[in-house]
Amino acid sequence: MSDSEKRTDFVREIIKRDIETNRYGGKVITRFPPEPNGYLHIGHAKAICLNFGIAQEFPNARCHLRFDDTNPCKEEQEYVDAIIEDIRWLGFDWGEHLYFASDYFEKMYEYAIQLIKAGKAYVCDLSPEEIREYRGTLTEPGKESPYRNRSVEENLELFERMRAGEFPDGAKTLRAKIDMSSPNLNMRDPVMYRILHAKHHRAGDKWCIYPMYDWAHGLEDSIEGITHSICTLEFENHRPLYDWFLDQLGVHHPQQIEFARLNLTYTVMSKRKLAELVERKYVSGWDDPRMPTISGLRRRGYTPRAIRNFCKRIGVNKYNSTVDIALLEHCIREDLNKRAQRVMGVLNPLCIVIENYPQDKVEYLDAINNPEDPSAGTRKVPFSRVIYIERDDFMEEPPKKFFRLAPGREVRLRYAYFITCTDVIKDSDGNIVELRCTYDPATRGGDAPDGRKVKATLHWVSAEHAITAEIRLYEHLFTKEDPNDVEEGRDWTDNINLDSIKMINDCKLEPSLANSKVGENYQFERVGYFCIDKDSTQERLIFNRTVTLKDTWAKIAKRNNTNKNK
RNA sequence: UGGCCUGUAGUUCAAUUGGCAGAACGUCUGACUCUGGUUCAGAAGGUUCCAGGUUCGAUUCCUGGCAGGCCAGCCA
């Protein structure tokens, strides 16, 4: 599926129908309304692609970016900045339509007065505990507040004094007068305003009353002329209230549509849990490459195109499901295969001396930059008598189906020569420290004039020319597909994979990598996709492994291993 | 012993609105290959949650079950 291909879903079907019936004058205006209290994650990317994607697909459509900043206690400018950066990076644009709920506070206040005047809202003196008691339970109706029938004048005066700061936090609330016996708890006189003497990251000290989500959100949508207000499933129960407020006010009334949030195997997606991973130092920060955050994926080497494509493939639905993380990995491989420059890098070096190759000779061999993209051209790679290969590419006693180097066996060094292993050198503990090989000068470039074949082609790096780098290998952050699957008395943090990061220090890379920049994607041939981490310095390059290449041998080896252990 | 929502290959989604249940990912097999990558070809995989009903015909409509999700913040 290419980036430009469309895919329909129940949300788009609703919008199509509304356009056909001219429900909103043919207009389509969506919005992405993050609360700036954390970083965006791949689940948000699903919502972003949905809302901004719809805006791109339909005529007369646009998508607003609106910060739903109605709770000063949790929100910070740092998050606003990070969210803006992440959405831009994902490739979406809101034009001049950047909004903040806090800019609507005055307007919301006026609407509240309108509701009070209509006898549909009242100031309540019940404490939080009392409100809870009065609310009733899922199966029993609630009781009406003793303050429910205050006069309009008294409510108006009290509400004004709430705003003026005459009461302490929690002393009073403004509540909608709906139905304390509604089977939908949201309709049991929900709180519209609470008193909070807190400094807001944008409004400062201007307000000491703040609107609750249910009251604020519909108004934000209405004020901006949103036509389709797309949110996640847990707000389904809130839709009657969303509708009630807008109906009472008689204002523009968008359609709220709910869809299922994204879950991914081997990771967690709740903001609370991600924040906990950061706070308790299980990860290095919100942008740790193991995090499912947009910034974490970016640092890991994921591309916007891969993430967008992933969101397209998973679809949109109304039931909770968990997407196999293998699909995300497939999407990044698919994109990087087409675009990433190929290089040679040895993660775990094993030294080879090619005994019949001249001491001081250096040859510069042609290597293809990207077989998927001829326009990427070629480069020169230095070859000499002492090289490194991957330790995993040699076995002294090769099992069946192991095609790579072994004593007496001939393999090809990519773009270079055929070599044959003649000797294995070990230290006193029996560890292999070096290999001796001979090369066939007639196979220069990697082709044998006599047409003989080898079963394997290995990547390699000339020892004399190699640059040394640190490479960070990442595994899933959790050991279980569902991190929340825990026994009694344990919790999700018990499922954290303590080996999810492995740092390797003396990796040997071809010299062309010396000039690479942060974020650039490479394919280390036969190994995986890597990118330069921001922790890199002039002296020391650090690479993140984005994802491995598909590895048939690893699969066979794993199978052999499990069979052995049976 | 409340209300709302949802049940289709292992997973995520389709099925032109009542007309032969398909795709992608994953898995497995084979071909090709100077990446055990890519690409290509193929295979396995289904009681469409269950039971009734309407209909020539039901994944689709109706009824009743069952299972899962959400809701008792002055969070969003």
Side-chain angles (χ1 to χ4, degrees):
Chain A
M1 194 179 346
S2 85
D3 208 36
S4 59
E5 269 177 80
K6 287 178 196 170
R7 178 165 181 168
T8 194
D9 51 64
F10 81 98
V11 178
R12 279 173 243 251
E13 289 306 313
I14 291 171
I15 292 175
K16 255 182 233 166
R17 216 174 304 137
D18 287 346
I19 290 174
E20 280 163 19
T21 60
N22 206 38
R23 183 170 174 198
Y24 293 106
K27 273 191 296 188
V28 178
I29 306 175
T30 57
R31 104 265 93 115
F32 177 65
E35 184 190 12
N37 68 344
Y39 281 64
L40 259 26
H41 54 63
I42 182 86
H44 293 111
K46 177 180 181 180
I48 291 166
C49 290
L50 217 210
N51 281 291
F52 283 97
I54 285 167
Q56 290 171 346
E57 291 161 27
F58 291 94
N60 297 317
R62 65 171 191 256
C63 179
H64 298 181
L65 171 58
R66 177 176 70 231
F67 286 94
D68 201 5
D69 53 352
T70 56
N71 184 354
C73 306
K74 292 185 174 176
E75 297 153 8
E76 290 172 33
Q77 185 63 37
E78 176 200 347
Y79 297 126
V80 172
D81 298 338
I83 288 168
I84 285 178
E85 183 189 359
D86 286 347
I87 303 174
R88 282 236 172 85
W89 177 78
L90 273 177
F92 296 104
D93 180 30
W94 45 89
E96 67 269 36
H97 299 286
L98 171 64
Y99 302 109
F100 291 85
S102 51
D103 289 340
Y104 306 145
F105 283 173
E106 190 66 47
K107 187 91 183 150
M108 290 176 187
Y109 181 81
E110 286 164 23
Y111 278 129
I113 287 175
Q114 186 184 329
L115 223 55
I116 293 172
K117 284 181 176 165
K120 302 286 187 180
Y122 62 97
V123 173
C124 183
D125 296 4
L126 254 29
S127 70
E129 298 74 38
E130 289 167 327
I131 287 192
R132 194 187 321 127
E133 283 165 30
Y134 277 72
R135 186 153 34 223
T137 68
L138 294 175
T139 51
E140 300 156 25
K143 285 184 300 187
E144 295 189 349
S145 163
Y147 306 97
R148 197 172 201 258
N149 293 312
R150 291 217 250 232
S151 69
V152 169
E153 291 69 32
E154 191 183 359
N155 280 322
L156 248 21
E157 188 210 322
L158 253 20
F159 186 47
E160 197 181 318
R161 289 171 61 195
M162 279 170 66
R163 178 182 181 170
E166 291 189 25
F167 308 111
D169 287 3
K172 291 185 179 352
T173 57
L174 184 72
R175 294 226 261 161
K177 192 190 284 189
I178 310 181
D179 178 6
M180 289 308 291
S181 63
S182 170
N184 183 340
L185 268 51
N186 295 126
M187 301 299 272
R188 319 242 265 228
D189 289 11
V191 172
M192 295 164 61
Y193 278 95
R194 74 280 211 188
I195 299 173
L196 236 41
H197 291 269
K199 193 181 182 82
H200 187 277
H201 68 101
R202 294 189 79 246
D205 294 320
K206 188 173 178 201
W207 294 88
C208 63
I209 57 171
Y210 288 92
M212 297 287 291
Y213 170 86
D214 287 307
W215 167 243
H217 204 87
L219 292 179
E220 297 160 23
D221 287 341
S222 182
I223 289 167
E224 292 176 21
I226 301 299
T227 58
H228 300 271
S229 178
I230 301 165
C231 62
T232 44
L233 246 31
E234 67 269 26
F235 292 104
E236 256 171 341
N237 295 326
H238 295 246
R239 181 158 23 95
L241 182 51
Y242 181 100
D243 291 337
W244 189 89
F245 279 132
L246 296 177
D247 285 342
Q248 297 305 315
L249 260 15
V251 294
H252 169 70
H253 192 149
Q255 170 72 54
Q256 177 178 305
I257 304 169
E258 309 87 9
F259 72 99
R261 56 168 12 129
L262 170 67
N263 297 293
L264 261 188
T265 55
Y266 296 105
T267 193
V268 293
M269 211 67 92
S270 93
K271 258 192 214 176
R272 202 205 90 225
K273 284 178 181 154
L274 293 176
E276 197 171 330
L277 288 172
V278 174
E279 278 155 23
R280 293 171 63 178
K281 305 262 192 272
Y282 288 113
V283 295
S284 65
W286 285 97
D287 71 343
D288 186 296
R290 291 166 292 176
M291 292 281 272
T293 50
I294 306 294
S295 51
L297 290 166
R298 175 167 60 231
R299 187 170 171 190
R300 174 86 170 246
Y302 275 75
T303 59
R305 192 190 324 265
I307 294 172
R308 275 187 258 124
N309 211 258
F310 171 74
C311 290
K312 205 164 292 180
R313 282 167 182 259
I314 59 177
V316 180
N317 233 315
K318 278 192 79 127
Y319 49 86
N320 290 300
S321 58
T322 303
V323 176
D324 191 340
I325 199 160
L327 182 58
L328 217 209
E329 293 170 348
H330 166 80
C331 290
I332 187 59
R333 284 194 190 104
E334 180 181 56
D335 188 34
L336 259 19
N337 174 52
K338 273 180 278 183
R339 287 161 232 290
Q341 147 116 36
R342 265 80 251 235
V343 292
M344 291 196 283
V346 176
L347 270 47
N348 194 4
L350 173 60
C351 188
I352 292 184
V353 176
I354 301 166
E355 293 189 301
N356 60 338
Y357 195 86
Q359 277 290 354
D360 300 316
K361 185 173 177 181
V362 178
E363 288 181 273
Y364 287 85
L365 303 163
D366 288 313
I368 294 165
N369 284 336
N370 185 351
E372 308 293 320
D373 176 15
S375 73
T378 61
R379 69 187 184 286
K380 299 283 187 187
V381 185
F383 181 83
S384 62
R385 180 178 152 95
V386 182
I387 61 167
Y388 296 113
I389 66 159
E390 207 70 65
R391 219 159 244 283
D392 289 349
D393 282 341
F394 175 80
M395 280 184 105
E396 199 170 11
E397 289 163 20
K400 258 189 198 132
K401 289 191 178 173
F402 182 85
F403 304 149
R404 285 110 94 144
L405 195 61
R409 192 183 281 182
E410 184 175 54
V411 298
R412 171 169 40 234
L413 295 177
R414 177 136 235 225
Y415 302 126
Y417 294 98
F418 286 14
I419 56 167
T420 304
C421 177
T422 53
D423 205 3
V424 180
I425 309 216
K426 297 179 182 175
D427 64 15
S428 52
D429 297 328
N431 301 310
I432 299 169
V433 294
E434 186 182 299
L435 261 29
R436 296 291 166 130
C437 293
T438 58
Y439 85 117
D440 176 358
T443 58
R444 188 177 195 272
D447 286 310
D450 62 1
R452 77 182 186 276
K453 304 275 186 198
V454 287
K455 292 204 76 170
T457 300
L458 309 188
H459 61 281
W460 52 273
V461 173
S462 165
E464 184 193 335
H465 305 88
I467 54 178
T468 303
E470 174 181 331
I471 295 186
R472 296 174 180 175
L473 307 178
Y474 303 105
E475 304 283 342
H476 300 145
L477 234 190
F478 291 87
T479 54
K480 283 194 178 168
E481 266 196 31
D482 176 8
N484 296 312
D485 173 22
V486 283
E487 290 163 32
E488 280 284 317
R490 322 212 93 215
D491 77 355
W492 62 281
T493 57
D494 293 320
N495 288 328
I496 290 175
N497 177 8
L498 298 173
D499 292 321
S500 58
I501 181 168
K502 194 187 289 173
M503 311 221 192
I504 319 182
N505 269 315
D506 293 307
C507 305
K508 301 295 184 183
L509 312 179
E510 66 168 73
S512 71
L513 248 10
N515 303 317
S516 41
K517 292 193 258 322
V518 173
E520 280 178 340
N521 300 100
Y522 295 94
Q523 184 196 98
F524 290 10
E525 292 208 35
R526 305 208 307 132
V527 181
Y529 295 98
F530 295 80
C531 70
I532 304 257
D533 189 78
K534 66 173 190 182
D535 286 350
S536 296
T537 61
Q538 284 288 40
E539 302 77 48
R540 179 171 190 73
L541 285 178
I542 301 174
F543 283 83
N544 294 317
R545 182 173 70 193
T546 308
V547 66
T548 60
L549 251 33
K550 281 208 275 181
D551 189 345
T552 317
W553 167 244
K555 215 176 276 178
I556 295 167
K558 192 180 167 191
R559 206 183 306 162
N560 289 345
N561 232 313
T562 24
N563 287 344
K564 223 180 284 170
N565 294 341
K566 266 180 192 168

